Amino acid sequence: MMEGDSSWRFALPAEGSVLVGREEPADLLLKDESVSRRHARILVTEEGARVVDLGSHNGTQVNGRQVEGAHLLLSGDVLSFGGVVAVVRARARSVTVRRTLEAERLMAHLREEVDRALRYGRPLSVLVLALPEPVSGGRESVEALLTAEAGPAEAVGWLDAAHLLCVLPEVSGEPGEEGLGERMEALLAACPRARLGTAACPTDGCDADTLVAVARSAAQAAKPGRAAAAAEGTTRLDLAGRSVLVADPAMSQLYALLRRLAASELPVLVCGETGVGKENAAFAVHHWSRRGSGPFIAVNCAALPEGLVESELFGNEKGAFTGATTARAGLLESAQGGTVFLDEVGELPASAQAKLLRALEVRRITRVGDTRERPIDLRVVAATHRDLEAEVVAGRFRQDLYFRLGAATVLLPPLRERPREVPLLARDFLSRACVSLGRPELVLAADTLLALSRHAWPGNVRELRNLMDYVAAAVAGDVVEPHHLPPRMMGRKGAAAPGPEGATEAGRAAPAMEAGAPEGARLPLAQELRELERRRMMEALEAAEGVQTKAAALIGMPIRTFSFKLKQLGVQVKPGRRSPATE
């Protein structure tokens, strides 16, 4: 939820009804004047969630379109209740046998196809056609026209009145792939002002909801009458040398909120788990503000020496305490004209909290050992992984300081709730690490992407970056396979419990597989089969002098599957050149 200057999380029930409005007895109570007293209702059943507008004055929108009737909500949908914005995040649901809505039957089919593609290493793509306006009355004729023009697809149906979804098994989504380009052109020819977005499994996502969200974002980024790949639905923010990738709908909305907050002088409190990207969010506020040319001073409050917290923050005079041989400006004084970022502000001791509150109120500080007050001109952005409201109740954090710092509160979601960004960030971090080490770029195998998508990421983005740094340094080949990852990565999300010495069941089951492994160590069976498949494909390419159609025929593999697996293996072969794999 994003309302005014703050964001927070609202959990929908597993089943039931949620009334959205500005007055009691609303379940989701909003304060914004643009929200009606009884604005909308969200209905949650075992078949999914739907939103119904209750005749509100300013209406309810999903992805920028007015809601008419009961509108099915998908993960990544952007809801607007008047001026209040919300982003839907749905947990993965098992496929149930009974499906009553057309969109739900389509999503159930896509979930089954994703499972098949991941299980057997087969290509799968989805296309989302975004119409310029909802189709009314002639939906059946439009669907018939599109499917007739596009040729036979495994499944075609409507997500809503304005978005058509095509599920394409055995299609990798590669540019120029046989039949795919013609199909996309036919779709756009049938609706010249529509936008088309594509996504491929597992490159862009390893679950149905993520693939649809990615393709839909790509369609929104496309120009009318054009198609866009998944990469075009992402945004790379350049923040004075810091590069931040944003693809998740919630993160896009939150960075838009941060840009609006940057124009004011309000203190901002950034909340979220450790490693989620709070410093990048704080720096974005600084960079986009009128103080962007001034200093950005980051202070890790948890790392300040207990006896020197006040000296570090406010400075000290010569002789103020043992070891104070010179007068020194504190971190707050050093941030004149800029921004100070108080990371882990919840760790400050009570005495420092009181002094910090007064400094922010009167905009003056007093160095330790001095009686003079010195003016300060700075903006404060604070961050914490703690629940400061609970800390206030427990008496560990000053309520008045909490109110002062939390004038605008921004909650960053953990990485496990941003599945679209996992493969993007992994490839980006891995590419940077390879460049830093001066080695050729590595390719993440399909099964590796699947393992990354299923990991819970307790360390969030920082954990993923550190993992890619490790992989770039440790992997000798060209492809990162699952067995290159630490054992903790091989368990399903939340399924593997820690065992002796922190090992997971999956980790204990996996033997050593690198150079120097004990005698008798073996690759996992699935990995052995992939290695055999790779070797046979390379031998076929060698025999066919790099001609993929001939090589695929030699080993009896469909050319689409052959090309898809070459991409997964990171192999690029030009006709007429001999393959290096057999040297």
Side-chain angles (χ1 to χ4, degrees), residues 33 35 71 98 113 125 132 145 149 202 223 260 281 331 384-385 441 459 468 485 487 492 507 521 533 540 576:
E33 291 294 327
V35 178
H71 187 103
R98 296 182 61 189
E113 287 296 336
S125 292
L145 173 63
E149 290 287 339
K223 296 179 179 179
R260 293 196 300 272
L331 293 169
T384 181
H385 74 281
E441 287 200 11
M468 292 300 104
L485 303 178
R492 284 181 176 270
E533 185 177 60

Side-chain angles (χ1 to χ4, degrees), residues 103-132:
E104 290 176 349
R105 288 198 298 270
L106 189 63
M107 290 300 293
H109 177 81
L110 177 56
R111 290 186 182 98
E112 292 169 356
E113 287 296 336
V114 169
D115 181 67
R116 184 190 70 88
L118 294 173
R119 182 174 300 176
Y120 299 109
R122 309 295 292 183
L124 171 68
S125 292
V126 299
L127 307 180
V128 169
L129 187 75
L131 303 181

Side-chain angles (χ1 to χ4, degrees), residues 196-481:
L196 186 63
T198 68
C201 176
T203 307
D204 302 312
C206 295
D207 64 87
D209 290 331
T210 300
L211 287 171
V212 171
V214 170
R216 195 169 51 198
S217 295
Q220 291 171 354
K223 296 179 179 179
R226 297 292 182 88
E232 297 177 55
T234 67
T235 302
R236 184 182 289 275
L237 302 174
D238 184 10
L239 306 175
R242 297 188 185 213
S243 181
V244 179
L245 272 178
V246 177
D248 182 81
M251 292 298 288
S252 298
Q253 294 292 329
L254 287 169
Y255 268 92
L257 173 61
L258 291 170
R259 188 185 285 271
R260 293 196 300 272
L261 292 174
S264 71
E265 283 291 298
L266 280 173
V268 178
L269 178 63
V270 183
C271 301
E273 297 178 6
T274 298
V276 81
K278 297 189 288 294
E279 183 168 348
N280 281 339
F283 188 78
V285 173
H286 168 73
H287 175 73
W288 289 326
S289 74
R290 65 178 181 84
R291 299 177 179 272
S293 59
F296 177 79
I297 305 296
V299 183
N300 186 346
C301 298
L304 294 176
E306 186 174 351
L308 299 175
V309 172
E310 293 186 30
S311 172
E312 291 289 329
L313 290 178
F314 307 108
N316 61 266
E317 289 297 298
K318 180 179 179 180
F321 51 84
T322 303
T325 57
T326 60
R328 187 173 61 88
L331 293 169
L332 296 183
E333 202 174 336
S334 302
Q336 289 281 15
T339 304
V340 64
F341 171 50
L342 300 175
D343 195 12
E344 298 303 343
V345 70
E347 309 300 323
L348 282 177
S351 59
Q353 292 179 31
K355 197 167 182 179
L356 175 62
L357 175 63
R358 187 177 189 283
L360 297 181
E361 292 288 353
V362 302
R363 305 188 74 80
R364 304 177 75 84
I365 60 102
T366 302
R367 292 182 179 179
V368 177
D370 196 5
T371 57
R372 292 174 298 160
E373 288 190 327
R374 302 168 186 265
I376 54 172
D377 175 28
L378 53 82
R379 182 188 192 157
V380 173
V381 180
T384 181
H385 74 281
R386 295 184 181 275
D387 182 348
L388 285 192
E389 287 192 17
E391 294 294 295
V392 168
V393 172
R396 290 188 292 268
F397 200 82
R398 293 181 64 103
Q399 186 179 55
D400 45 9
L401 179 59
Y402 169 62
F403 290 150
R404 188 74 175 82
L405 294 175
T409 303
V410 175
L411 174 64
L412 297 183
L415 184 59
R416 62 181 171 275
E417 294 184 5
R418 295 146 51 185
R420 166 61 181 132
E421 296 189 348
V422 172
L424 282 172
L425 291 172
R427 286 192 288 266
D428 188 57
F429 291 149
L430 184 58
S431 175
R432 293 191 204 182
C434 289
V435 170
S436 177
L437 294 172
R439 64 167 298 172
E441 287 200 11
L442 292 168
V443 175
L444 295 168
D447 286 351
T448 305
L449 288 171
L450 178 59
L452 296 179
S453 74
R454 288 178 170 174
H455 185 53
W457 298 111
N460 290 291
V461 179
R462 184 183 296 120
E463 181 187 0
L464 177 57
R465 183 178 64 242
N466 292 340
L467 174 64
M468 292 300 104
D469 288 343
Y470 159 76
V471 163
V475 175
D478 300 325
V479 182
V480 181
E481 297 285 357

